[in-house]
Amino acid sequence: MTAVLFGCAATLSPTPAAAEDAASGPLKVAFVYVGPVGDHGWSYQHDLGRRAVEERFGGKVVTTMVENVSEGADAERVIEELAEAGNKLIFTTSFGFMNPTIKVAARHPEVMFEHATGYKRSPNVATYSARFYEGRTVVGLIAGKMTKSNIIGYIGSHPIPEVISGINAFTLALRKVNPKAEVRVVWVNAWYDPGKEAAAAKALLDQGADVICQHTDSPAPVQAAAERGAWSVGQSSDMTRFGPNSQLTSIVDEWDVYYISRVQAVLSGTWKPTDTWGGLKDKMLYLAPYNPALPKDVLELAEKARVDIMDGTLNPFAGPIIGQDGKEILPAGKTLSDADILRMNYYVEGVQGKLPR
Amino acid sequence: MTGFETLIGILAATIAAATPLLLAALGELVVERAGVLNLGVEGMMLVGAVAGFAAAVATGSPAAGIAAAALAGMVMALLFGVMTITLLANQVATGLALTLFGTGLSALAGRDFVGIPLNPLPRIAVPGLDLLPGLEPLLSQDVLVWLGLAMAPALALFLGRSRAGLVLRAVGENHGAAHELGHPVAAVRYGAVIFGGAMAGLGGAYLSLAYTPMWAENMTAGRGWIALALVVFATWRPGRVLVGAWLFGGITIAHLHAQGMGFAVPAQFLSMLPYLATIAVLVAISRDAAQIRLNAPACLGKVFHPER
């Protein structure tokens, strides 16, 4: 009996009538996370966005989320299942979900997809990301003022443009206020591995770093810095409680505004496969409350930079930009284009070590 | 920062990184020496980590955390024991299921403990440390580090020199003969499996109470599997487990330091190394049938049925 009913439903579903029926109920929205919601970082912040959507739209929207989805064949299966379950809008929130999203989207033209941090779009796939590097500029200025050893430790996840542009924006700002400071990068090849992140932080501290930055998602580096009395900068979420005397600030992702606007677009039938790359002014990221120990001049410097980035008077990638080899990459008076930032594959002057390929 | 201080830092970090591997691998070594293969180390470590963290947060006592971790690991191991020793289920399948179960259970139990900070375990210094300037990071460690270091020689003595150790090895080498001689095969295996669970739980607790004092889902990140590889790498000898744990821990730490100093090292290759080394050892000992007989417990992974 069930099989018969299921068969009928399957043959009916592509007809317009069935589609309208589905539309008359609440809009089904799904979210796919690469990590556990409990990572207290990247996936956690996306889930806050999901909850903001539920709160805003109440009974008009039903959300589903799948956490801990590995990037690869598994992702395609999960996204496919969500599309078949009648979700009309699906957010896939990790770079590695790009190809699976495109593939599933081709099979489900009636479903709208939103892929975070990717660059491939199609008639029913939009992309979105945040200009994390804008936060790095502010943090670089603070670090340049606060370091005494002039060695900054920076824990990287994967050497992709998003992370590299963060390192470079940080270093450019750092050297603007402190030309003697240098950045040492350690790649842990994971977005989320507390043990390895802590070990990387300790290695950098042993090498004399007194500020630890991270582009990984666990609070372990903040904790390791706090234990040694060093400064740290959090990532993805506010990690203050893991090092109240250590975290200078944190670069926090915020997806609430974007998610609400996209769900609204679907509800009002205005959704388009756009490419959104928002920054501080679009409220796609913000800086966690500054550490109260920051001196007044540093605080003012940071706040001024933040406001200037928001109103466009300060561009994190304004020339002159000098590469690691001492050659000029960008002359004074010019700024890097978005395309240049999105394919950044070099270190600027002031970063130690070679970029892994 | 002087070269000496950096070196001490590297050594101290190596010992810390080796400790969860050492604790879990020593436990698994005893289990395997008794002829049982428990692939659930990762799951038991995770459950130990979350139980230890939860107890330490709830009571404020690190000792309670350590005890809870060991206990939780033992309960998980008991479950494995009932399945494989009493109900005679396949050990490989049950062990894998235990890892999957432990991963899910720890995530569920840990939901309310995400994002809570905890003070690291207090450090216990070697007496007379004042006389050795500069060695403080190395010689002042928490109780779980000292336990791991003490356990390796203690187990070597137990397995090699004690009557109980001899019985345990006999059960692992030839459970039929041990049974004929009147040794309680099932009881010995239960004891070994539960001991292994306690040690895996402590290994997990080292991560959540000392190494990175917090609870995060899946925070063992594959260390249980490295511990399993380590037992084979060490050819079932406690002393070699200690050396192997330092080696595997040291590779990671040296790699991070090398990067910080500006050397480009392919990280993927280094994360493969523990497994490559284990395969190399396996190949080396497999070339010689006598070597295998000398090292691997002959009844490893075999179900014991007294009537047969």
Side-chain angles (χ1 to χ4, degrees), chain A residues 92-107:
Chain A
T92 55
T93 65
S94 186
F95 180 76
F97 296 156
M98 179 163 68
N99 290 331
T101 304
I102 294 288
K103 269 197 203 163
V104 177
R107 291 196 290 267

Side-chain angles (χ1 to χ4, degrees), chain B residues 149-177:
Chain B
L149 293 177
M151 212 47 138
L155 282 178
L157 274 179
F158 168 77
L159 289 169
R161 297 290 149 93
S162 79
R163 188 178 154 72
L166 185 67
V167 171
L168 185 133
R169 282 191 291 138
V171 166
E173 292 297 340
N174 189 333
H175 48 215

Side-chain angles (χ1 to χ4, degrees), chain A residues 127-194:
Chain A
T127 53
Y128 63 101
S129 185
R131 296 176 187 267
F132 303 110
Y133 65 84
E134 293 185 349
R136 301 277 167 200
T137 298
V138 180
V139 170
L141 296 172
I142 300 175
K145 287 286 187 187
M146 298 306 284
T147 180
K148 294 213 163 58
S149 67
N150 288 338
I151 301 174
I152 314 292
Y154 202 115
I155 302 167
S157 46
H158 297 283
I160 58 172
E162 179 198 325
V163 181
I164 297 166
S165 63
I167 294 171
N168 286 341
F170 176 87
T171 309
L172 289 170
L174 173 83
R175 308 255 298 184
K176 214 190 280 180
V177 293
N178 184 350
K180 281 190 223 142
E182 59 168 56
V183 177
R184 295 189 177 190
V185 185
V186 169
W187 298 96
V188 294
N189 276 72
W191 286 109
Y192 180 73
D193 181 343

